[in-house]
Structure formats: structure tokens, C-alpha cells
Amino acid sequence: MRKALRWLPAFAVLIGTVGAGAAPAGAATAAEPDIKERVLKIPGMNFVEEKPYAGYRFLVFTYDQPIDHRHPSKGTFKQRFTLLNKSTDRPTVFFTSGYNVSTTPGRSEPTRIVDGNQVSLEYRYFTPSRPQPADWSKLDIRQAADDQHRLYKALKPIYTKNWLATGGSKGGMTATYFRRFHPDDMDGTVAYVAPNDVNNKEDSAYDRFLATVGDKACRAQLNSVQREALVRRDEIVARYQKWADANGRTFKVVGSADKAYENVVLDLIWGFWQYHLQSECASIPATNASTDELYKYVDTISGFDAYTDQGLEKYTPYYYQAGTQLGSPSFKSPHLKGLLRYPGIYQPRSYVPRDIPMKFQPGAMRDIDRWVRNDSERMLFVYGQNDPWGAEPFRLGRDAAERHDYRFFAPGGNHGSNIAQLVADQRAKATAEVLDWAGVAPAAVKKDAKLAKPLAPYDAKLDRQQTLDREHSL
């Protein structure tokens, strides 16, 4: 599951110009008390900064959270979150990336659809939202869901209208887990490109996916280039080590530049389909390309920094969770036979410092999967047809339609797929449901879902696709 940043995504799990007459940035309307002061009256709230954005208040806070929600007397930590405030008489979207929170104003797709407020929460143990010292046993999906629940309960008296949860990739998983443990908090959930690794030991779905995604010629050339990258590994690793030395990069966690390189190359095919499109197959180098060209392509798709100590450190909480609860995909690479030197290295334990203990909990994802199939309501899952993370999607129950649960795939889409990329009928249905869950569906849309569209105009800065933290396939 890999380094991060590039979407989207998935996880471009998303972001409009406000209408005429909006209050200037930083100003409260006559009808609404100052939102910053209202939030700061909540015990445990701390103000960090405000960044002006026309028609909104964009504020960064921290909130004092228990390290252990089961034993709140055992200490607290400051968890960072942002607030994109439009008006307290609008619905609110609770966005989670599953990683660090961005402190640049941005709007998720559901927030634009409902023209609402957005609360974006940093996931626990991603710095600076990490207890010191860190007890890693308190980093689990239930504790994170309780973080969301507690912040929601604190803000709900201010934002009294409907709430929706959303996020992409790990953020989509996070939004789903939140609903599982606190099913009555949110009025609906939109989870983008969220994998569902129910049985971590059975990953044949990924083999089937990689054997059929895109066209045959593209798959064959990717396989050929991946193999060639290992054939020339000694030459490339020497260059990799030289780059690392020049840029202050080290390999203590993984073990060596050679081990890091094997991980980087194993990411290549997965990384291509995760963030690129069938139309980009023409950019794949020829097998006999120069080493310079091959080096550059591997770095572009996989990223040489990903498995350095410095590249891994930011994502230690993710790799820890992948190796303790979330699971991680594995896949076969028969075309690399005889070229892999480190069997078993491509898994989460390899990327977490050894002084942090890890033990996998196989029941965690089975519980989530069972709840989604049997008990969830008003949940929308959006995937990309060509995104490898969608090979094991969330499964819906037989009565999903009655419970207003939906799962759609964007044609040809990657890890940046969203509602806007769905086919027309599905796009309209998804948009209409989101509007209805938020309590802001126009009368015309209630009569005819085909009329559904976002309530807020597009804003090139606020609604640009956000960079989703990219997970490596592992």
C-alpha cells in the first residue's frame, strides 16, 4: 500500500464557488454569531489558525481527545481538525482522509453536492495528532470511530442540520467503520474507493483483477517493464543508493536500498492502474529502453522515496493498521520468477519499526463486512472499474435497495473515481440520494432523480481533485 499523494484520490476521495451575497471571508453574518467563538466555547477546543476563503470561514482547531476512549482518565492528546463553515443552517459533511488533514481550504464532492459545511478530522497517530509517548495498541478502528463520534457530539449543538460522513480510500473505510460503531450519528455515508479485505489470507481476487484489467497489450508491456527493472537492478540500485546519499535518505526500517528497490518495483503494475488510465498505456517504455528512461519511469509510477525511512515514517500509522486490522493485498507475479531476492518482504511488518509490536486481528474486518451486508442503511460506495483496490469491494445485502445502500463503479475509473464519473443514471441516483440524506433535496429532484445535480457551483480551487494519500499495494 504505498506512499501517498497523488489523486485524486481516491480517496480524489474531492471539493464551489459560493453564490452571490455570501458574507466576506472572516465575517459573521448578522443572523449568526461568530462561529470561531462558538466552537471555542466547547471544552477541550483550541484555535490554531484561520485562512480566508470567500463565502466561508476556514478554521483549524485541535480538540482534546482521550488516548483510550474506554479509559478516558488515562490521558489525552490534541487531535487536529479543520472547519469549512458556510452556515449553521446548512447540512454538514464529516470528511476523513484516514491520514493527515489538509490545512488548505478544500471541499469534498458531497459537500459541494449539498452546499454545506465540512468538518475534516485528522486520523489519530498521524502527526501532530499523536499522543506522546505513543501507545500503539490504542491505534485501532474503534478508537478512531470514537474520536469521530466525540467530535460530532461536541459540534452537533452548533451544526444542528443533517450530517453525512465521507472519505476516499482509507478515508472511505474510516467513514464506514464510523457508521458501524456509531450507526445513529450520520444521516448517510458516501465511501469512495474503499477496499474491504475480509479475509487477509485469501487474495485471489487481486490476481484475477490484474489478469484482466485494461487490454492485453498494456498488461504484457507492464509485465515486461517490471521484469526488466529487476534484470537491471544492480545498476539501478547503485544509482538509487547514490540518490539516497545525496538527499539524506536511509533504509534502516526496510533494511537496504536493494530491499527498498524490490518493493518499489513490486508496486509498479499496481501503481499504474491505481493512478493512471488505459489511455496512458502508450507512455510505458519499451523493454529495451535506456536505463535512464527506465529509472525515471519506475520513479514516476512507484516513487523511489516511498520505502526510505523518511518516506515510510509519515505513514507508519497506516502500515501499522494494515498489519493489525485492515489487511493488505497480495498478488502473484509469475513473470518475475527467479528475480525476487526477498520473499515475504512485501507486507506491512516490513515497513513498521521493529520496536512497535504488531499482531493481526482477523475478526476486525469480518465484523465490518457482516454489518455492512446485514445492518447498514443509507450508504453509497463508489469504485473505479480499473482500480485494483476495488477488486475486493464492500458487499451489499440482498435488501440493499430497501435500505438505500448502493454500490457503483465508474467506467474505466482509477483510484480517483467519484460520483461525477458515474454513468448518467447512476450519477443522478447517487446525487439524489445524497441530497435526500442531507435533507436538502429540491422538490423537483424528489419527483425525478434525473434532475439531481450539485447545489453549489464549481470552484476551480475549492473543488479541485484533492491528493489522496496513496496506499501501496503491499
Side-chain angles (χ1 to χ4, degrees):
M1 296 195 162
R2 121 187 31 227
K3 76 182 171 187
L5 312 184
R6 225 182 258 183
W7 235 57
L8 347 235
F11 93 264
V13 181
L14 337 143
I15 322 185
T17 310
V18 287
T29 65
E32 184 171 303
D34 184 81
I35 194 63
K36 172 185 169 183
E37 298 307 318
R38 293 186 71 182
V39 172
L40 285 176
K41 287 180 180 180
I42 299 171
M45 287 291 178
N46 312 277
F47 175 70
V48 177
E49 63 177 330
E50 178 170 3
K51 296 181 179 179
Y53 201 92
Y56 291 88
R57 299 285 299 277
F58 182 77
L59 305 118
V60 182
F61 297 93
T62 63
Y63 184 45
D64 295 342
Q65 293 273 27
I67 297 171
D68 183 353
H69 288 273
R70 297 165 185 79
H71 303 93
S73 64
K74 292 187 175 181
T76 62
F77 71 101
K78 295 187 182 299
Q79 188 170 31
R80 188 168 58 169
F81 75 95
T82 66
L83 173 61
L84 184 70
N85 177 80
K86 183 176 180 66
S87 173
T88 56
D89 64 3
R90 300 298 302 168
T92 299
V93 174
F94 203 150
F95 173 84
T96 51
S97 73
Y99 298 88
N100 292 103
V101 71
S102 172
T103 56
T104 298
R107 189 166 60 180
S108 71
E109 186 178 54
T111 307
R112 182 188 170 213
I113 289 174
V114 306
D115 193 18
N117 311 289
Q118 181 170 301
V119 173
S120 302
L121 181 64
E122 189 158 75
Y123 203 96
R124 62 167 41 212
Y125 283 60
F126 283 85
T127 54
S129 299
R130 182 182 298 179
Q132 295 297 338
D135 176 358
W136 290 87
S137 70
K138 301 304 181 289
L139 174 57
D140 61 42
I141 59 173
R142 181 58 191 265
Q143 294 282 1
D146 290 349
D147 289 339
Q148 284 192 259
H149 172 68
R150 191 166 175 271
L151 181 57
Y152 160 74
K153 295 289 285 186
L155 294 174
K156 178 63 173 178
I158 298 175
Y159 295 98
T160 59
K161 301 300 182 180
N162 291 17
W163 281 63
L164 305 178
T166 194
S169 195
K170 185 172 182 283
M173 299 159 75
T174 301
T176 302
Y177 307 156
F178 177 32
R179 283 295 297 283
R180 185 269 176 268
F181 294 117
H182 299 284
D184 298 325
D185 284 3
M186 299 288 106
D187 296 285
T189 295
V190 183
Y192 296 87
V193 296
N196 178 35
D197 197 346
V198 183
N199 183 353
N200 194 44
K201 294 183 178 181
E202 209 299 291
D203 282 344
S204 60
Y206 299 106
D207 295 322
R208 293 191 295 272
F209 173 88
L210 293 172
T212 58
V213 62
D215 64 35
K216 184 176 180 180
C218 187
R219 295 194 302 271
Q221 189 55 32
L222 280 168
N223 284 349
S224 179
V225 167
Q226 188 179 41
R227 180 177 175 84
E228 188 64 21
L230 290 175
V231 168
R232 300 191 219 177
R233 75 185 296 161
D234 291 340
E235 178 184 2
I236 295 178
V237 167
R239 183 179 301 191
Y240 186 20
Q241 183 68 67
K242 184 177 180 180
W243 168 86
D245 293 342
N247 289 276
R249 296 296 190 262
T250 54
F251 302 98
K252 293 179 181 179
V253 175
V254 172
S256 69
D258 195 51
K259 290 180 177 180
Y261 181 68
E262 185 156 304
N263 283 276
V264 169
V265 174
L266 284 169
D267 273 342
L268 189 66
I269 293 175
W270 185 286
F272 178 86
W273 293 112
Q274 180 175 355
Y275 290 104
H276 301 271
L277 302 172
Q278 169 71 39
S279 60
E280 296 175 69
C281 289
S283 68
I284 303 170
T287 309
N288 63 355
S290 68
T291 300
D292 284 345
E293 187 177 357
L294 191 61
Y295 183 98
K296 182 178 180 180
Y297 189 74
V298 171
D299 190 28
T300 298
I301 300 297
S302 300
F304 281 125
D305 197 44
Y307 293 103
T308 67
D309 296 329
Q310 294 71 26
L312 289 172
E313 194 281 330
K314 180 179 179 181
Y315 301 101
T316 296
Y318 165 70
Y319 290 119
Y320 174 86
Q321 286 194 283
T324 55
Q325 289 188 317
L326 307 184
S328 60
S330 60
F331 46 86
K332 299 174 182 177
S333 301
H335 60 289
L336 302 181
K337 185 177 180 180
L339 296 174
L340 298 175
R341 296 175 178 173
Y342 310 104
I345 197 174
Y346 199 60
Q347 49 92 17
R349 176 70 271 186
S350 300
Y351 315 132
V352 177
R354 289 289 168 173
D355 61 347
I356 300 176
M358 293 169 61
K359 183 178 180 180
F360 193 71
Q361 303 166 30
M365 293 302 102
R366 290 199 294 266
D367 170 74
I368 300 297
D369 177 72
R370 185 166 49 246
W371 179 83
V372 169
R373 286 186 289 110
N374 298 329
D375 299 304
S376 64
E377 298 181 299
R378 301 181 305 281
M379 297 196 69
L380 169 64
F381 295 94
V382 178
Y383 293 94
Q385 178 189 13
N386 288 352
D387 176 19
W389 288 103
E392 287 192 338
F394 276 96
R395 302 175 290 177
L396 305 183
R398 294 181 179 178
D399 59 343
E402 288 76 13
R403 292 190 275 133
H404 292 262
D405 282 352
Y406 305 92
R407 188 182 71 180
F408 299 134
F409 286 79
N414 61 13
H415 206 48
S417 298
N418 57 23
I419 292 173
Q421 296 170 11
L422 299 175
V423 296
D425 288 351
Q426 293 180 350
R427 180 172 64 247
K429 179 62 175 176
T431 303
E433 288 289 333
V434 171
L435 291 168
D436 185 59
W437 298 343
V440 291
V445 172
K446 292 182 179 181
K447 292 181 180 179
D448 185 356
K450 292 181 179 179
L451 300 176
K453 60 182 181 179
L455 298 183
Y458 176 78
D459 182 306
K461 292 183 178 180
L462 204 61
D463 292 325
R464 69 189 182 281
Q465 281 193 318
Q466 296 178 358
T467 296
L468 285 194
D469 280 301
R470 335 179 349 186
E471 302 87 356
H472 286 266
S473 57
L474 281 182

